[in-house]
Amino acid sequence: MRTKSDKEKYGRLVKAYAAEVVDFTACLLPDRMEAEEVAQDAFVRAFSRLDSFRGDATFLTWVQRIAYHEAIDRLRRRQPTMADISEVPLAAEDDDLSTEREERIQRLEESIDALPPDDQLLLHLYYYEDRPLRDIAYIMDTEPNTLSARLYRIRKRLLHMIKQKTDE
């Protein structure tokens, strides 16, 4: 049974790490409300398993690992959705305002968006958050060497996708 002191400690942990865990889950689940739900579920699960935290990683990384598995489970349960093409905004007609660099960035962003959520998360953690492969491997429950090879394949896939967009 948890004591009042335990609940206060839990509150402090949630307050200290909630924003980072929600931002993390938002990488996999674009709906902010859903990302917050998954983060909350991860904290509840972490709190119920606090005695299993061994200190192999930081507390934040441990909670993110739990959140990662919660988000992946939610994505697996989801039914595929079909997008209505009539809702897709048309590109701006005025190409004079666009530079070649901006177009390359846009092609890269579009290509990244077309990747599976797991690959997007890996890129986000490695390149945007500058997380070491050791931490990412812990979160994603795999080996750092596996992630290194996966990053290589993702970069090759992105290059291929961008070349295809350029040729269109």
Side-chain angles (χ1 to χ4, degrees):
M1 177 179 237
R2 303 284 181 197
T3 66
K4 184 177 179 181
S5 173
D6 289 339
K7 291 177 184 174
E8 289 172 358
K9 289 176 188 173
Y10 173 72
R12 284 195 298 269
L13 288 172
V14 171
K15 187 174 182 178
Y17 298 111
E20 289 177 87
V21 174
V22 170
D23 288 345
F24 173 80
T25 56
C27 292
L28 285 167
L29 305 163
D31 178 2
R32 187 72 177 185
M33 296 276 285
E34 189 175 19
E36 289 173 1
E37 270 182 44
V38 168
Q40 183 177 1
D41 292 346
F43 275 109
V44 169
R45 179 166 279 170
F47 186 59
S48 69
R49 297 181 179 170
L50 209 47
D51 55 337
S52 70
F53 176 61
R54 297 184 313 256
D56 297 350
T58 65
F59 180 78
L60 174 62
T61 301
W62 183 67
V63 173
Q64 286 177 325
R65 179 181 185 162
I66 295 169
Y68 168 77
H69 288 287
E70 291 281 330
I72 293 299
D73 286 346
R74 189 169 288 220
L75 287 170
R76 284 186 184 132
R77 287 191 303 263
R78 225 182 239 171
Q79 294 294 323
T81 57
M82 303 297 282
D84 183 359
I85 196 160
S86 65
E87 296 174 8
V88 176
L90 297 175
E93 295 289 327
D94 191 0
D95 288 334
D96 295 337
L97 300 177
S98 174
T99 66
E100 184 179 324
R101 184 173 190 276
E102 289 169 339
E103 289 171 0
R104 285 193 317 240
I105 290 170
Q106 181 178 357
R107 284 193 298 269
L108 175 61
E109 288 173 346
E110 289 170 356
S111 298
I112 290 172
D113 288 345
L115 292 172
D118 225 21
D119 290 348
Q120 290 179 31
L121 176 66
L122 176 56
L123 290 173
H124 179 82
L125 291 173
Y126 189 74
Y127 289 108
Y128 293 103
E129 290 189 16
D130 201 27
R131 300 284 290 267
L133 281 176
R134 180 187 72 251
D135 286 359
I136 301 168
Y138 182 82
I139 291 167
M140 298 179 89
D141 199 21
T142 189
E143 295 296 319
N145 290 341
T146 303
L147 290 181
S148 180
R150 197 162 142 203
L151 278 168
Y152 174 77
R153 288 191 305 273
I154 293 169
R155 286 190 299 263
K156 282 184 74 167
R157 190 174 338 136
L158 284 172
L159 179 62
H160 178 72
M161 292 166 75
I162 291 168
K163 283 182 178 178
Q164 279 184 326
K165 288 181 185 297
T166 303
D167 293 342
E168 290 176 350

